Amino acid sequence: MAEEEGLERGEINGGLASMDSIDSRWVFQDEDDSEVDDEEAEDDVRHRTVVDSEDDEDDDNAEQRLIRTGPRIDSFDVEALEVPGALRNEYEDFSLGRKIIIAFQTLGVVFGDVGTSPLYAFSVMFKKAPINGNEDVIGAMSLVLYTLILIPLLKYVLVVLWANDDGEGGTFALYSLICRHAKVSLLPNQLPSDARISSFRLKVPSPELERSLKIKERLEASLTLKKLLLTLVLAGTAMVIADGVVTPAMSVVSAVSGLKIGVDAIKQDQVVMISVAFLVILFSVQKFGTSKVGLAVGPALFIWFCSLGAIGIYNLVKYDSSVLKAFNPVHIYYFFKRNSTKAWYSLGGCLLCATGSEAMFADLCYFSVRSVQLTFVLLVLPCLMLGYLGQAAYLMENPDGAEQAFFSSIPNVVFWPVFLIANIAALIASRAMTTATFSCIKQSMALGCFPRLKIIHTSRKFMGQIYIPVVNWFLLVVCLVSICTISSIDEIGNAYGIAELGVMMMTTILVTIVMLLIWQINIIIVLSFIVIFLGLELTFFSSVLWSVGDGSWIILVFAIIMFFIMFIWNYGSKLKYETEVKQKLSMDLMRELGCNLGTIRAPGIGLLYNELVKGIPAIFGHFLTTLPAIHSMIIFVCIKYVPVPVVPQSERFLFRRVCPKNYHIFRCIARYGYKDVRKESHQTFEQLLIESLEKFIRREAQERSLESDGDDGDIDSEDVTSCSRVLIAPNGSVYSLGVPLLAEYKESSEPISEASTSEEVTPGPPADQTTYDAEQSIERELSFIRKAKESGVVYLLGHGDIRARKDSWFIKKLIINYFYAFLRKNCRRGIANLSVPHSHLMQVGMTYMV
């Protein structure tokens, strides 16, 4: 038995050491939080002592120094170190047939938006800058070519796609990536153990680490910069949602407008009615999911791109191949010289050729980076260029056809087949930003910036493929209103440009921060990126803003409304969390109540859901005073979303013993990434939770056997008043300085323990007897847990509402008491995600004054 125990100790210690050597990082540490304890070290690495206290806030003004250290070990961190390794890519090891299917789905989901831009780009451009000669056509063509090269290709495909968060793209994915490397989140629920998740992947120092750490320090120290960063993210997300409204309007109306070329009797009113019918059908089939719809429309879009290329080649040969001179950028200068202000107005139309670029990044969660990059470079971009060159060649000889440049340039023999394919492609394009909107809203909900809504997962294999019914029908209604209000293609195109440019500019700024903070690349490259692309986007933005009075202001108003919804939700959630932290119960009160908590302990397990990651929630006091009895075992469950896409199941639960052992109170943090699916039933969740709790108890006993029998378990940080000095060895292993392993142990106070209360100091029992007693203690506690589980599990839910104090500002009262209260009342409550029968629920309400 003793040999087995020694072997287990060696395995545990060795496992921690090997993991620590991998996870050791360079960090800033306050001078007053670390002191040299021992001069002996290996490879000149000094031992350091730390105080393990969760509730101590970091002092932003304290003097800091850069040290290399292993991860701090506490009962949360030890569990977090048990990682299975890096996550496997969902798209690896697929057969050739499966890769072809994914390529078709990529066409159907990601490239529909940018693929249908030839339907309307030239029409909007030449509406603002009419053709006065062939040089105007070549100049406009040159503008389109280099816009395609600079924005979709250079910016997105070659740079931005690499800024994905473990395969996840979009505005909030960039924000979570930044939050993971710097404490810029306004919600103070971060734990050191979060950084132990295998998908966290913090970087090892690079030659430019000093600059990165200065930026990190500045971001973490400035509340203004944190708020500014969140404001940019919310603004970008609002523009993505607005883009999800205007994309279907623009794509479908422009495709159906081709009827006016094929049938003379068709007028604009009939075009609008047909477009409305198409959009209703489109949003109705959205619930069938990305995989099914993407696979169905992928071949259609492949035919569409091939048609673009073929028609472009035909027109180049038939009309005027001299448009190939547009590859010379000097014609852009001639275009502006000839048209001056009109050329500047036409930039809004030129930008439309790059719409859908953001969808490539936002929809990245559905497909791999390589599949998106290769499909764009090898198929999408060449076909788009040929399509635009063919239209330009046609306009060289037929300048009067600029109003419907695409449909006018189609040969009569294939007009109706191409018209049919164009309308199918337009319907596909309408889905592109809708899909991106679902993904972005899901991320924002997980990070506490959007009211909770019902999410349906449409694919069992790929968990990123989702459908949000409320958002789907809301987008449809706003889209129909927009079409009926702004029927002109030019006005819709201007609104399209505003929404698209808003997202693009936010992405440019966030990717620049990623370059500085995470990639740590040369400052010249970073400056070149932001100067070129942000300058280009601001130029385009100035053009579309000039025409905002035409009707496109509706989209701006819609985006502002969405921004305020997200801002109010985030503001209210932050105030609620901070108030709960301030009003949490003290450990002194728990000690005074005793192990029975001042009431009767009835058999069973009570899962008390709350948002606190540390401390005892105030709502627990309401349960104690309201209920005639409380369960024999209490587990505080915190559902926490961490800034990673996925948390592996083996790393889902972290446990800590909140009070002394005989209280039978634990804290469990159930961690989810913003891409994770919470679809387990309440029975499955309970089973996983209890299994993880049993593992924690066994691990706790093994760790305690390395220290001493005098330390009665892992007490919550609020109960640590002394004997908390910990020594971190050079290999990262952690030892307590108050245990016989490192110093002669002397009791300085009566331990909080169920163990012997004898006042006489007697020699310790033999090792075999100690091991036997420890095993008996473990089995007794595990048996207690199983019996409590058999007696039943009850979910204790506290509905905490907030109200503004009477002396608060009027604006704060308006936001909290009316707007935030309205959102909380109408959003999906957390209980809806648990699928718990009402017979297993107990709910108590509590109102916080903020």
Side-chain angles (χ1 to χ4, degrees):
M1 185 70 71
E3 291 178 359
E4 292 176 1
E5 183 184 4
L7 179 61
E8 289 174 355
R9 290 180 183 179
E11 289 175 350
I12 294 170
N13 195 25
L16 285 176
S18 61
M19 186 58 66
D20 292 345
S21 64
I22 294 173
D23 283 357
S24 60
R25 299 179 284 121
W26 290 86
V27 299
F28 276 125
Q29 181 165 340
D30 294 342
E31 289 288 353
D32 54 359
D33 285 342
S34 177
E35 62 186 43
V36 177
D37 181 74
D38 195 342
E39 294 299 327
E40 294 183 4
E42 291 182 5
D43 300 329
D44 298 329
V45 180
R46 308 172 78 180
H47 296 188
R48 306 190 182 278
T49 61
V50 298
V51 176
D52 182 17
S53 176
E54 286 182 342
D55 296 322
D56 292 339
E57 299 293 337
D58 294 333
D59 185 1
D60 292 336
N61 297 322
E63 184 180 358
Q64 295 181 317
R65 67 169 178 265
L66 185 65
I67 63 169
R68 187 178 186 182
T69 177
R72 188 186 72 176
I73 310 295
D74 62 15
S75 56
F76 279 168
D77 293 336
V78 168
E79 290 190 72
L81 285 171
E82 279 201 343
V83 295
L87 294 176
R88 216 173 145 214
N89 193 301
E90 294 175 345
Y91 299 90
E92 289 179 354
D93 300 331
F94 280 155
S95 63
L96 178 61
R98 184 61 184 162
K99 290 179 179 178
I100 293 174
I101 291 175
I102 291 177
F104 275 123
Q105 290 178 347
T106 306
L107 281 175
V109 175
V110 179
F111 297 112
D113 193 359
V114 70
T116 53
S117 59
L119 291 173
Y120 43 76
F122 272 149
S123 300
V124 177
M125 279 191 75
F126 291 125
K127 182 75 174 179
K128 297 181 178 182
I131 300 174
N132 294 320
N134 287 348
E135 187 62 37
D136 287 342
V137 176
I138 296 176
M141 184 67 236
S142 188
L143 258 179
V144 168
L145 282 177
Y146 283 97
T147 301
L148 280 173
I149 291 171
L150 287 173
I151 296 180
L153 180 61
L154 292 184
K155 178 187 172 182
Y156 280 91
V157 173
L158 298 184
V159 179
V160 174
L161 288 185
W162 292 112
N164 69 87
D165 186 13
D166 197 19
E168 192 82 8
T171 306
F172 263 96
L174 287 171
Y175 182 60
S176 72
L177 194 62
I178 295 169
C179 288
R180 195 154 75 242
H181 290 79
K183 296 178 182 178
V184 295
S185 175
L186 293 178
L187 197 64
N189 65 347
Q190 296 86 20
L191 286 175
S193 54
D194 294 339
R196 312 293 182 261
I197 300 174
S198 57
S199 53
F200 232 85
R201 298 178 184 173
L202 293 175
K203 282 192 74 171
V204 174
S206 71
E208 298 192 348
L209 177 65
E210 183 179 355
R211 185 192 71 205
S212 174
L213 288 177
K214 287 181 179 179
I215 295 172
K216 176 178 181 290
E217 183 182 11
R218 183 68 182 272
L219 282 173
E220 293 178 346
S222 174
L223 182 61
T224 301
L225 289 179
K226 291 180 182 180
K227 290 181 178 180
L228 179 61
L229 180 62
L230 180 63
T231 301
L232 291 175
V233 172
L234 296 183
T237 306
M239 287 297 184
V240 169
I241 300 173
D243 215 352
V245 169
V246 73
T247 296
M250 187 68 184
S251 300
V252 173
V253 171
S254 59
V256 176
S257 296
L259 281 174
K260 293 192 291 186
I261 301 297
V263 181
D264 295 336
I266 295 292
K267 304 300 180 184
Q268 185 63 27
D269 291 341
Q270 286 87 350
V271 169
V272 172
M273 293 175 61
I274 296 172
S275 301
V276 168
F278 278 4
L279 288 172
V280 171
I281 296 172
L282 172 75
F283 281 92
S284 299
V285 301
Q286 187 79 37
K287 61 184 178 182
F288 293 110
T290 301
S291 293
K292 298 172 185 176
V293 178
L295 184 57
V297 301
L301 207 61
F302 177 75
I303 296 173
W304 164 250
F305 279 113
C306 292
S307 300
L308 276 180
I311 294 172
I313 294 172
Y314 172 82
N315 287 334
L316 280 171
V317 173
K318 181 179 179 180
Y319 296 106
D320 193 345
S321 61
S322 63
V323 294
L324 294 175
K325 293 188 294 183
F327 281 99
N328 186 349
V330 73
H331 291 284
I332 298 176
Y333 167 75
Y334 294 150
F335 181 67
F336 276 92
K337 184 178 180 180
R338 285 166 57 93
N339 296 280
S340 61
T341 306
K342 291 182 179 180
W344 178 64
Y345 286 154
S346 71
L347 287 178
C350 177
L351 174 75
L352 298 181
C353 72
T355 55
S357 301
E358 187 67 28
M360 286 191 291
F361 185 50
D363 286 329
L364 193 59
C365 62
Y366 295 89
F367 306 102
S368 66
V369 176
R370 286 296 183 191
S371 66
V372 175
Q373 290 177 323
L374 292 176
T375 305
F376 182 82
V377 173
L378 299 180
L379 175 65
V380 175
L381 184 61
C383 290
L384 285 176
M385 286 185 169
L386 286 172
Y388 282 114
L389 286 168
Q391 290 184 48
Y394 172 82
L395 293 175
M396 293 280 281
E397 295 188 7
N398 303 277
D400 295 336
E403 184 177 351
Q404 288 285 342
F406 175 76
F407 288 107
S408 299
S409 66
I410 299 175
N412 293 330
V413 179
V414 294
F415 178 84
W416 289 111
V418 172
F419 172 80
L420 177 64
I421 293 296
N423 276 269
I424 294 175
L427 293 174
I428 297 167
S430 301
R431 298 187 66 262
M433 285 310 299
T434 306
T435 304
T437 302
F438 291 159
S439 177
C440 197
I441 290 178
K442 166 71 163 55
Q443 296 171 10
S444 60
M445 276 192 283
L447 296 177
C449 295
F450 204 92
R452 290 184 295 268
L453 302 173
K454 181 180 180 180
I455 296 176
I456 298 174
H457 297 270
T458 59
S459 173
R460 293 183 178 180
K461 184 170 182 60
F462 303 118
M463 55 189 162
Q465 299 182 4
I466 60 174
Y467 166 69
I468 306 177
V470 173
V471 175
N472 185 67
W473 300 118
F474 179 68
L475 292 179
L476 173 61
V477 171
V478 179
C479 183
L480 295 182
V481 171
S482 300
I483 287 180
C484 296
T485 306
I486 317 173
S487 58
S488 169
I489 289 291
D490 303 328
E491 294 179 5
I492 297 176
N494 200 63
Y496 200 2
I498 291 174
E500 192 76 18
L501 281 166
V503 184
M504 286 181 177
M505 289 189 292
M506 298 305 109
T507 299
T508 301
I509 295 171
L510 292 175
V511 171
T512 302
I513 297 175
V514 169
M515 286 180 168
L516 292 169
L517 183 65
I518 303 169
W519 291 355
Q520 300 169 15
I521 60 178
N522 191 287
I523 191 66
I524 302 299
I525 299 176
V526 178
L527 290 176
S528 300
F529 176 82
I530 191 169
V531 168
I532 292 174
F533 292 109
L534 189 59
L536 184 65
E537 288 155 3
L538 285 172
T539 303
F540 280 118
F541 198 59
S542 65
S543 174
V544 295
L545 277 183
W546 189 261
S547 305
V548 73
D550 295 342
S552 53
W553 58 269
I554 294 177
I555 294 301
L556 268 181
V557 171
F558 174 74
I560 291 171
I561 292 173
M562 297 307 303
F563 172 83
F564 277 109
I565 288 176
M566 291 185 287
F567 175 80
I568 290 170
W569 183 263
N570 180 266
Y571 176 69
S573 300
K574 178 175 174 288
L575 281 182
K576 180 175 177 290
Y577 185 88
E578 291 174 345
T579 305
E580 289 180 344
V581 170
K582 292 176 183 177
Q583 298 187 12
K584 61 187 179 182
L585 302 181
S586 68
M587 288 300 298
D588 292 335
L589 175 61
M590 299 298 291
R591 293 193 198 95
E592 292 175 6
L593 292 175
C595 61
N596 287 328
L597 301 176
T599 184
I600 300 172
R601 302 294 291 269
I605 298 177
L607 302 181
L608 195 153
Y609 277 76
N610 67 103
E611 297 180 359
L612 297 184
V613 295
K614 47 192 174 185
I616 300 174
I619 199 75
F620 184 57
H622 275 253
F623 279 105
L624 291 178
T625 56
T626 304
L627 302 178
I630 200 69
H631 300 83
S632 57
M633 175 174 288
I634 297 294
I635 301 177
F636 299 128
V637 181
C638 171
I639 303 294
K640 178 185 177 184
Y641 284 92
V642 291
V644 296
V646 177
V647 177
Q649 186 64 56
S650 58
E651 303 175 45
R652 177 82 65 220
F653 299 105
L654 295 182
F655 281 89
R656 162 166 286 168
R657 199 182 292 277
V658 176
C659 293
K661 194 172 183 178
N662 57 347
Y663 280 60
H664 301 295
I665 299 179
F666 299 88
R667 172 177 294 108
C668 169
I669 297 180
R671 303 179 299 177
Y672 291 85
Y674 55 80
K675 190 180 173 184
D676 271 327
V677 181
R678 288 183 55 194
K679 61 182 179 181
E680 61 269 288
S681 64
H682 72 97
Q683 296 98 334
T684 304
F685 182 82
E686 292 167 11
Q687 185 65 30
L688 292 172
L689 186 142
I690 297 301
E691 288 176 0
S692 299
L693 176 59
E694 292 177 353
K695 290 179 183 178
F696 163 74
I697 290 174
R698 294 184 186 278
R699 186 186 301 110
E700 180 193 46
Q702 290 173 341
E703 292 162 6
R704 192 163 57 237
S705 69
L706 293 175
E707 299 175 354
S708 73
D709 296 329
D711 188 7
D712 187 29
D714 198 4
I715 309 301
D716 204 358
S717 61
E718 292 172 319
D719 194 38
V720 177
T721 57
S722 62
C723 300
S724 59
R725 299 183 70 211
V726 175
L727 178 67
I728 301 181
N731 63 0
S733 300
V734 179
Y735 304 96
S736 172
L737 294 181
V739 302
L741 283 175
L742 300 177
E744 184 179 355
Y745 177 69
K746 294 181 181 181
E747 287 187 328
S748 59
S749 61
E750 184 177 351
I752 305 172
S753 174
E754 296 175 281
S756 172
T757 57
S758 173
E759 296 181 359
E760 253 184 12
V761 178
T762 58
D768 291 344
Q769 182 64 34
T770 302
T771 304
Y772 177 77
D773 291 343
E775 291 179 353
Q776 288 296 313
S777 176
I778 294 173
E779 290 305 320
R780 282 195 299 270
E781 187 163 15
L782 294 179
S783 176
F784 182 86
I785 293 174
R786 296 187 189 106
K787 289 180 180 178
K789 174 72 165 60
E790 292 172 0
S791 299
V793 178
V794 176
Y795 291 75
L796 308 175
L797 301 178
H799 294 303
D801 293 323
I802 60 173
R803 302 282 295 177
R805 292 191 181 94
K806 292 183 178 180
D807 58 347
S808 301
W809 291 89
F810 171 76
I811 298 297
K812 183 177 180 180
K813 289 181 180 179
L814 184 65
I815 291 175
I816 298 299
N817 296 347
Y818 295 97
F819 295 150
Y820 180 72
F822 175 81
L823 292 175
R824 276 188 64 85
K825 183 179 180 180
N826 291 278
C827 76
R828 186 177 175 88
R829 290 188 177 270
I831 183 59
N833 295 324
L834 300 176
S835 303
V836 180
H838 288 285
S839 59
H840 291 195
L841 288 177
M842 286 187 183
Q843 303 186 44
V844 171
M846 185 172 182
T847 301
Y848 301 101
M849 303 304 294
V850 297

